[in-house]
Amino acid sequence: LITSEQLKYVLSYTASAVDELKDELNALDRAIGDGDHGHNMSRGFQLVLKNIDNIKYQSLSEVFVFVGTTLMSSIGGAAGALYGSLFIQTGKSLPSDDKELTLDIFVGAFEQGVGAIKELGHSDVNQKTMLDVIVPVLDLLRTDQKINLSMISDYAKSQSQLTVNMKAEKGRASFLGDRSIGHLDPGARSSQVIISSICKALTLV
Ligand code: ADP
Ligand code: MG
């Protein structure tokens, strides 16, 4: 399905994209949070990058768990635990042998990962969080329509924009109440860029 070299390419491409986004994410988080989201995300993905050559590729499952534990231990903040659980739970739900992997099975595992965010965050869609990008993308992957990588990427982008008009009900931004309206959610932006980078990198490998 995907070789370890290709996977390393996808991860390093994504890590660079997150790093380039650092200032923007800090600024978004400064507007409705405490301004650390860019630093948090960049630190996490740089550590993934640093350890990338130590990955002994056995299965996609192990790589997801590796990425999740690395992010969990390094990102900090709410997003660290949430992104960490997403990757760890997705990884644990993937088959241990890539030969058994199909798109349906991948989507099922991703759904378990999204469930882990909801459970840990006591959160769901329409609360102005990363879930407002991740859940619609999961739903798109589940449709019977013919979809391609650029559609997924565009959809993530348009969904992230919808968080601008939402009122935050979770995380620090929720302390602002109605004043959170009118700002793009930093976690929605980081999720969108992670998803778009993965899609883009997959077309380049
Ligand atoms: P912190 O708020 O601890 O400083 P970050 O700034 O790194 O953490 O991350 C903030 C982002 O995390 C928010 O923009 C939002 O998307 C996401 N988030 C916060 N709380 C939750 C939650 N309960 N469920 C889902 N996502 C959340
Ligand atoms: Mg923050």
Side-chain angles (χ1 to χ4, degrees):
L1 200 77
I2 183 167
T3 66
S4 65
E5 285 312 307
Q6 288 172 327
L7 194 77
K8 283 179 188 174
Y9 178 78
V10 172
L11 287 176
S12 52
Y13 189 95
T14 306
S16 322
V18 170
D19 196 49
E20 279 167 31
L21 198 71
K22 183 157 79 179
D23 292 342
E24 186 191 325
L25 291 178
N26 282 334
L28 290 172
D29 195 30
R30 225 164 14 244
I32 56 171
D34 57 355
D36 63 354
H37 192 56
H39 282 123
N40 289 344
M41 295 302 291
S42 164
R43 189 169 58 240
F45 276 89
Q46 285 308 308
L47 195 63
V48 170
L49 203 59
K50 197 171 149 229
N51 291 331
I52 211 163
D53 288 321
N54 304 336
I55 303 179
K56 280 192 228 46
Y57 189 86
Q58 308 281 353
S59 64
L60 196 60
S61 166
E62 284 179 51
V63 174
F64 266 79
V65 173
F66 160 79
V67 171
T69 44
T70 306
L71 295 181
M72 176 100 67
S73 68
S74 59
I75 293 186
L82 295 165
Y83 276 118
S85 337
L86 170 67
F87 280 93
I88 292 170
Q89 192 54 52
T90 301
K92 284 185 173 166
S93 309
L94 285 167
S96 53
D97 186 343
D98 283 351
K99 287 197 195 80
E100 292 165 31
L101 198 58
T102 62
L103 181 63
D104 270 358
I105 288 176
F106 178 79
V107 173
F110 185 44
E111 188 171 5
Q112 298 297 310
V114 174
I117 298 185
K118 291 182 179 177
E119 204 178 298
L120 185 67
H122 303 285
S123 48
D124 213 323
V125 288
N126 289 317
Q127 296 176 327
K128 197 183 182 93
T129 70
M130 56 175 73
L131 287 173
D132 292 307
V133 169
I134 299 172
V135 172
V137 166
L138 170 64
D139 290 340
L140 179 67
L141 293 174
R142 270 198 297 230
T143 60
D144 304 326
Q145 300 168 46
K146 249 193 123 27
I147 49 168
N148 59 42
L149 291 166
S150 88
M151 280 168 68
I152 297 169
S153 179
D154 291 348
Y155 191 60
K157 177 97 197 187
S158 62
Q159 293 299 305
S160 71
Q161 289 300 324
L162 297 180
T163 65
V164 171
N165 291 322
M166 291 180 189
K167 174 176 162 180
E169 284 171 25
K170 293 288 163 182
R172 283 178 208 280
S174 66
F175 305 150
L176 293 179
D178 285 339
R179 279 184 294 134
S180 65
I181 299 171
H183 300 274
L184 179 63
D185 176 62
R189 176 68 170 141
S190 59
S191 304
Q192 177 257 311
V193 168
I194 292 168
I195 291 167
S196 297
S197 304
I198 293 172
C199 290
K200 179 77 187 175
L202 285 173
T203 65
L204 298 173
V205 288

